Amino acid sequence: MLAVRLRGVVLCAALSTVAFGAHSSASGVQFTVYDPNVSDASVVQSSASRAQPPLGYNHDSTVVWWHNRWWALWNANSLAAEGRPYQYNYLSTSADGITWSPAVRVFSDAAHSSNPVQCNACTQWQPNVVIVNNALWVSWCQHSNDSYQGTYVSCLDTPDGLWRNQLVHFWPRNDTLPVVGGKKWFAFPTQDPIIVTLAPGDGTTTTTT
């Protein structure tokens, strides 16, 4: 098993070199003991001397195995503080979980998104990843007090393609903030999504996340 670290936070990753051994109990019954070799690696270092770009704050991480790579996403800032302006969502990938690509501003850079989300002193938060029909989907949100504020779903169809960022609008009107009881609320994705298949009873199914 591999423990992947982001600023001291351990990310799960089932990258394992596994050893199984047969042992005998006092009664002579044979059983197998799981004995993994555990190693450690860093996706990004908070130290300015090692991080490219320097990232003093790293938090809200998620990791997934997709197209023969590990994909790690998290929100970060060059300042060592949470919720400060220009807090972006970052991405790094790795084939082995040991060596990771440089962290990039995945949803706000034209090199990585077909329609980058402008960040005007914004804060981006908590990318949550799920695989849907062999594509990566990520839910996240941005606070910026402008037309770019709101909840997003970003999709990547191929590993070397560009992300598509969709700002979520809520019924009954074309509003980026849901209205409940006459008041606007901010939809804030906080956990990794799951895929649920709904069967309404008419012979059809609907898949949602």
Side-chain angles (χ1 to χ4, degrees), residues 13-77:
L15 306 177
S16 56
T17 303
V18 181
F20 289 93
H23 297 266
S24 299
S25 66
S27 62
V29 177
Q30 294 287 320
F31 57 93
T32 300
V33 174
Y34 176 60
D35 185 22
N37 295 323
V38 179
S39 57
D40 184 276
S42 296
V43 175
V44 67
Q45 292 282 349
S46 60
S47 168
S49 62
R50 297 185 60 183
Q52 294 297 328
L55 297 173
Y57 162 77
N58 299 275
H59 197 199
D60 300 325
S61 54
T62 185
V63 65
V64 67
W65 176 256
W66 184 66
H67 280 274
N68 299 314
R69 292 186 216 168
W70 289 105
W71 298 69
L73 297 102
W74 69 101
N75 54 243
N77 200 324

Side-chain angles (χ1 to χ4, degrees), residues 110-176:
H112 306 287
S113 289
S114 60
N115 57 333
V117 178
Q118 187 171 330
C119 175
N120 300 311
C122 78
T123 55
Q124 296 179 352
W125 294 91
Q126 293 198 229
N128 305 277
V129 65
V130 67
I131 298 173
V132 180
N133 296 328
N134 203 36
L136 279 192
W137 287 27
V138 177
S139 60
W140 57 282
C141 67
Q142 173 167 306
H143 292 185
S144 54
N145 295 317
D146 58 18
S147 61
Y148 295 96
Q149 174 168 285
T151 302
Y152 286 83
V153 174
S154 299
C155 301
L156 183 65
D157 295 321
T158 61
D160 298 318
L162 295 176
W163 290 83
R164 304 185 313 278
N165 303 307
Q166 178 62 56
L167 181 60
V168 177
H169 294 275
F170 292 88
W171 185 88
R173 63 177 183 263
N174 194 27
D175 200 324
T176 59

